[in-house]
Amino acid sequence: EEADILSARADHSRLGQEERQALLGQVERLKAKLGGIGPVSLGSVEEYDALKQRQEFLHTQQQDLIKAREDLRHSITQINRTARQQFRETFAKIQQEFAHYFTQLFSGGEANLLLMDEDDVLESGIDIIARPPGKRSQSISLLSGGERALTAIALLFALFKVRPSPFCILDEIDAPLDEANIDRFTKVFEEFLSLSQFILVTHNKKTITKADSLYGVTMEQAGISKIVSVKFTKHKRSPSAQTAPSPSPEPTGAVAA
């Protein structure tokens, strides 16, 4: 070792001034790097193990989130596929029923429902095309007020026929209709009385005749309103002419208010 030191000193003594300055500068840079490292931490190993465990835990959580995202996307794809299929089937049925009730309510003509975007049925709009008797096919927005109301009633009946509910509330649905259209409306309306309970808000006498119960508001005294109800029952006459008619069970068809 002493020989090595002596040899290094001899080599150092043979260095030029520029080489000696360069080596001294390198030594200073290395000392600065060592000083930047700071003091040696005795707990570095434990800190590394804790950080490694934390990194593994976060990696596991990340993989779980990625898998959950893929499962969610797969579920959404299946739901959309099923929804598209059911929508197309239901839409085809509504198209058929709409054309049927439109013809009944208008005593002729034809109507149809069209998807505005066949490629994306779940986001597509629906266009209503109607042709009353004696007119050309046109959008519902170009029809008269009464024709639009009757077309909307046909669509409402079509929806209710395909997807019935236990009860239905109709508020002044017959208000825009004239006498002839009221007759056709009540005739079609009778088909649904055996399916569901209907509550109608109306002022039309012909519509009221289809109800089983009536509810109205009267004012016997000024400023005091009173609810009046009337229930109708059907009677059956026995074979004997002298026997009084007996009431039958009360129907549950329509209630007019």
Side-chain angles (χ1 to χ4, degrees):
E1 295 179 357
E2 292 181 358
D4 294 337
I5 293 173
L6 293 174
S7 177
R9 288 180 177 178
D11 293 338
H12 181 68
S13 64
R14 290 193 295 268
L15 294 175
Q17 185 66 24
E18 294 181 358
E19 294 177 346
R20 187 179 293 108
Q21 291 297 330
L23 291 175
L24 290 175
Q26 183 178 1
V27 169
E28 293 299 328
R29 288 194 297 272
L30 294 174
K31 287 182 178 180
K33 288 184 178 180
L34 289 175
I37 294 175
V40 176
S41 175
L42 300 179
S44 298
V45 176
E46 290 77 6
E47 292 179 3
Y48 170 78
D49 292 337
L51 292 175
K52 184 178 180 181
Q53 292 179 1
R54 178 65 177 172
Q55 190 271 340
E56 292 175 351
F57 171 77
L58 293 177
H59 179 73
T60 302
Q61 295 294 314
Q62 181 188 32
Q63 295 301 317
D64 291 342
L65 291 174
I66 293 174
K67 184 178 182 301
R69 182 185 63 184
E70 296 302 324
D71 292 342
L72 182 60
R73 288 179 175 176
H74 180 67
S75 299
I76 292 175
T77 302
Q78 287 185 328
I79 292 172
N80 287 339
R81 185 184 301 113
T82 303
R84 290 189 189 97
Q85 179 181 357
Q86 293 182 351
F87 177 84
R88 290 185 182 275
E89 293 175 355
T90 304
F91 185 75
K93 294 178 181 178
I94 293 175
Q95 276 182 313
Q96 182 179 358
E97 296 296 338
F98 175 58
H100 168 70
Y101 286 115
F102 182 89
T103 303
Q104 278 194 313
L105 290 171
F106 279 89
S107 296
E110 58 184 11
N112 194 15
L113 301 175
L114 300 178
L115 291 174
M116 301 178 66
D117 186 0
E118 290 282 352
D119 297 329
D120 189 4
V121 296
L122 297 182
E123 299 293 335
S124 173
I126 298 176
D127 196 8
I128 303 175
I129 303 299
R131 186 184 66 81
K135 295 187 178 181
R136 60 183 179 86
S137 297
Q138 53 190 340
S139 176
I140 187 175
S141 60
L142 301 177
L143 299 177
S144 65
E147 290 172 339
R148 285 200 301 267
L150 214 57
T151 303
I153 292 173
L155 180 57
L156 177 64
F157 282 159
L159 293 170
F160 201 79
K161 184 65 175 294
V162 176
R163 286 291 185 269
S165 63
F167 67 92
C168 178
I169 300 177
L170 304 176
D171 186 4
E172 297 285 356
I173 191 174
D174 54 354
L177 305 181
D178 55 21
E179 292 297 322
N181 289 332
I182 287 291
D183 292 334
R184 290 194 291 266
F185 162 71
T186 54
K187 183 178 179 181
V188 175
F189 177 67
E190 287 179 344
E191 299 180 14
F192 293 89
L193 296 181
S194 59
L195 300 178
S196 302
Q197 175 85 22
F198 284 83
I199 300 176
L200 290 86
V201 179
T202 182
H203 294 87
N204 190 279
K205 296 179 181 179
K206 291 186 177 181
T207 305
I208 291 175
T209 60
K210 303 301 178 181
D212 298 324
S213 301
L214 298 179
Y215 293 89
V217 180
T218 184
M219 189 177 292
E220 296 180 351
Q221 301 179 15
I224 301 177
S225 298
K226 180 179 179 182
I227 302 296
V228 178
S229 63
V230 178
K231 294 185 178 181
F232 301 102
T233 57
K234 295 181 180 179
H235 295 78
K236 294 181 180 180
R237 185 175 297 277
S238 63
S240 176
Q242 286 78 19
T243 304
S246 58
S248 61
E250 184 175 316
T252 59
V255 177

